[in-house]
Amino acid sequence: MSVVGVHPRISERHPEVTDADVLAAMRSMIRYRQRPAGEWLAVGLDDKSRLVELVYQYDEEEDFFFVFHGMTPPSAKTLKELGMER
């Protein structure tokens, strides 16, 4: 079973995004892609039905996700990168 870690900086920089919001968004990812540098970019819905932008590392050997960036709403750049621009 996968384990998800959430960097405390997320809620420090974005107090409207809690660890629970990040975990919910990870469970309900709508789009994701791996960037050339290795980290993953994703968007998912939190329990309040808000679209949350996530950037994380994944350790396949440990089956561990470490989310180091999260915010809502996602930036226009993120939506474009994921093919979701309006």
Side-chain angles (χ1 to χ4, degrees):
M1 178 179 236
S2 299
V3 176
V4 179
V6 180
H7 198 292
R9 178 183 64 203
I10 294 172
S11 59
E12 290 169 7
R13 292 189 62 165
H14 304 281
E16 72 282 3
V17 179
T18 66
D19 289 1
D21 295 330
V22 170
L23 296 174
M26 286 292 291
R27 284 192 306 272
S28 67
M29 285 190 285
I30 296 168
R31 288 260 173 100
Y32 55 90
R33 71 179 293 269
Q34 190 170 23
R35 290 176 160 169
E39 76 272 8
W40 291 80
L41 173 67
V43 292
L45 294 172
D46 68 7
D47 289 333
K48 300 170 194 88
S49 297
R50 299 180 300 176
L51 200 56
V52 179
E53 172 180 323
L54 305 164
V55 181
Y56 61 92
Q57 292 284 344
Y58 176 62
D59 181 334
E60 189 173 351
E61 187 174 302
E62 298 291 325
D63 195 22
F64 179 71
F65 296 84
F66 183 67
V67 185
F68 58 89
H69 171 76
M71 67 181 221
T72 190
S75 70
K77 179 182 172 195
T78 291
L79 294 176
K80 182 175 182 180
E81 187 174 340
L82 292 172
M84 298 176 68
E85 62 267 66
R86 296 176 187 173

